[in-house]
Amino acid sequence: MVHPITKYGQPVLETESEAIREFDTPELHKLIEDMFDSMYAARGVGLAAPQIGIGKKVAVIDVSSGEDPEQKLVLINPVIIGQEGTQTSEEGCLSIPTFREPVTRAKRVTVRAQNAKGETFEMTGEDLLARAFLHETDHLRGTLYISHISPLKRDLIRRKIRKLQKANEWGD
Ligand SMILES: [Zn+2]
C-alpha cells in the first residue's frame, strides 16, 4: 500500500525513531512492503519509516530504482560502523521535495543492521549506496540532510518552505 510521504515540518521527521524488537511479525513485513511501495511510487532510492509517519527504525533502499530486485535492501536498527574517503554530490529528500543541495559524505560506508528476521548483517557500499546508508540512518535518528549543509543555505530553504506552507503549497 502506498502511503503519502511525510513532509518537512512534521515532528516525526526530527525525532529519533524507536528500535524494532520484534521480528518476523506480519506487522513488520507489511511495513516493509508498504515502504517499498511508497518509495517506488515517489521515485526515491531510499525511504525511512518516519517518512510515512511511523517512528520506527526501518529503512528501505534500492539504488537501482526497481530495475534489479537484488538491490532491494532492508535495514532495521542500522548503525554506521565505518566511513572512508569523501564524495560530494547533490542530495535531495522525498520529505523536502524540489530542493537539492551538494552534500559531502563518506565515499565508502559500512552499516550494521538487522533484516526482517532479526539476523544481524554488515554491508559496505560506495558512492550512491554509501550516501543512502548515511541519509537513511540519519533519518532514523531524526536528522535531515539539510543538517549537513551551511546554516546560510539551510535558513534559505527553511524560509522558502515557510512561504510554501503559508500558501498551502507544501503539504504535511
Ligand atoms: Zn530523506
Side-chain angles (χ1 to χ4, degrees), residues 96-111:
I96 313 175
T98 71
F99 295 95
R100 293 184 75 77
E101 287 293 334
V103 180
T104 300
R105 302 263 199 187
K107 183 173 175 61
R108 196 173 302 105
V109 172
T110 303
V111 67

Side-chain angles (χ1 to χ4, degrees), residues 30 37 59 88 102 171:
K30 172 85 167 77
D37 290 348
T88 301

